[in-house]
Amino acid sequence: MEENKALRVVDALREVGVNAHLAREGVYKIGVRVVLPDGREAIWDTDDTPGLEAQVMRDGMMVGFVPMIPGSEEYDLPQVVAAIAGTDYDQPIATRSATPPQPNAPLPREGGLFRRFLGGFRER
């Protein structure tokens, strides 16, 4: 995922109360990390494929995954946010939840005042 797009996705997820962060998995491997309440993390889209998929990790070990969502290569920002926020991570092979997620209180944007300084003014 492109870095600016990943930042926009993280910001939009945090606005709906999802504990999302920018995932830097390597050189130019950027995605979205969603922290789950039970200590697991879902790492979305760090492999530069066009569709959305995720690995569910606990302590560095893969404990589940989200298979590629069909048609997700054409999703716009609200659809990507809805897909990530609406995923049910309870099973090893995660699926999209049948009911939309309950809205939670918004979380603050990451980076605060110095966000543009730390990012080298790349954010648009």
Side-chain angles (χ1 to χ4, degrees):
M1 188 179 290
E2 194 264 329
E3 184 174 5
N4 285 329
K5 180 180 178 184
L7 276 172
R8 289 190 303 271
V9 170
V10 167
D11 289 342
L13 284 167
R14 292 182 72 81
E15 286 175 9
V16 296
V18 175
N19 192 4
H21 307 277
L22 192 66
R24 295 183 187 272
E25 297 295 313
V27 179
Y28 301 114
K29 291 190 178 213
I30 296 173
V32 176
R33 179 172 52 96
V34 176
V35 179
L36 304 173
D38 61 355
R40 296 176 298 157
E41 297 179 333
I43 311 294
W44 284 88
D45 218 22
T46 58
D47 58 357
D48 291 333
T49 57
L52 279 176
E53 75 279 337
Q55 298 176 351
V56 181
M57 311 289 279
R58 177 178 299 174
D59 297 327
M61 300 290 288
M62 189 165 104
V63 295
F65 69 98
V66 180
M68 189 174 85
I69 299 170
S72 61
E73 53 275 347
E74 301 296 324
Y75 281 6
D76 59 359
L77 182 65
Q79 291 172 314
V80 170
V81 170
I84 293 173
T87 300
D88 181 14
Y89 300 98
D90 290 337
Q91 300 297 321
I93 301 175
T95 58
R96 303 236 355 232
S97 180
T99 60
Q102 295 292 339
N104 295 326
L107 300 170
R109 286 179 59 171
E110 286 191 316
L113 177 66
F114 296 104
R115 177 176 172 149
R116 293 200 62 210
F117 290 109
L118 296 172
F121 295 100
R122 289 187 306 264
E123 183 180 346
R124 291 180 212 143

